[in-house]
Amino acid sequence: SALGTVHTLRLCRCVLVRDVSALGSVHTLDLSGCAALEDVSALGSVHELILSGCRQLSDVSALGTVHTLRLCRCVLVRDVSALGSVHTLDLSGCAALEDVSALGSVHELILSGCRQLSDVSALGTVH
């Protein structure tokens, strides 16, 4: 790709960014506040991925191999069943989130402000 060996890329609040398919080889990628972003399926190889405030984002199933994943205030994210291998997972403010039973292996899990969440019994193994 034209980005070559970029290690860290911050595109915070770039509200028109939609296509991030060429960014899968970036080590640390901050796309927080990219309001138009919907498809992040090409970003599964990113080590640290920040998608906080990406309000159009709903499908995060391809991100199960990301080491550190921040999805704060991603209000459309409902299904996080594929994220059980993520090391550090921040889902604070994910208002639609109801089921976190698949996240028992996550090392650090942040669920502050997840108002629809009621059953956290499966999280007894979180470090």
Side-chain angles (χ1 to χ4, degrees):
S1 84
L3 286 172
T5 57
V6 171
H7 184 273
T8 302
L9 180 59
R10 301 197 190 286
L11 292 169
C12 311
R13 294 178 299 284
C14 291
V15 295
L16 299 179
V17 169
R18 296 181 81 91
D19 183 4
V20 293
S21 58
L23 305 180
S25 61
V26 175
H27 182 272
T28 302
L29 183 57
D30 187 347
L31 296 169
S32 55
C34 292
L37 193 59
E38 294 179 32
D39 182 6
V40 293
S41 59
L43 304 180
S45 298
V46 173
H47 181 79
E48 180 178 0
L49 182 57
I50 305 166
L51 296 169
S52 301
C54 294
R55 297 185 172 274
Q56 297 303 312
L57 190 62
S58 60
D59 182 4
V60 294
S61 60
L63 305 179
T65 54
V66 172
H67 181 271
T68 301
L69 181 58
R70 304 205 182 278
L71 295 169
C72 316
R73 301 176 317 283
C74 290
V75 293
L76 298 181
V77 170
R78 298 180 85 92
D79 181 6
V80 292
S81 59
L83 304 181
S85 297
V86 173
H87 183 271
T88 302
L89 182 57
D90 188 347
L91 295 168
S92 54
C94 291
L97 192 61
E98 295 178 16
D99 182 10
V100 292
S101 59
L103 304 180
S105 298
V106 173
H107 183 79
E108 181 183 356
L109 182 59
I110 304 166
L111 296 168
S112 307
C114 294
R115 296 186 302 260
Q116 298 298 318
L117 208 53
S118 59
D119 182 7
V120 293
S121 59
L123 301 180
T125 57
V126 173
H127 301 295

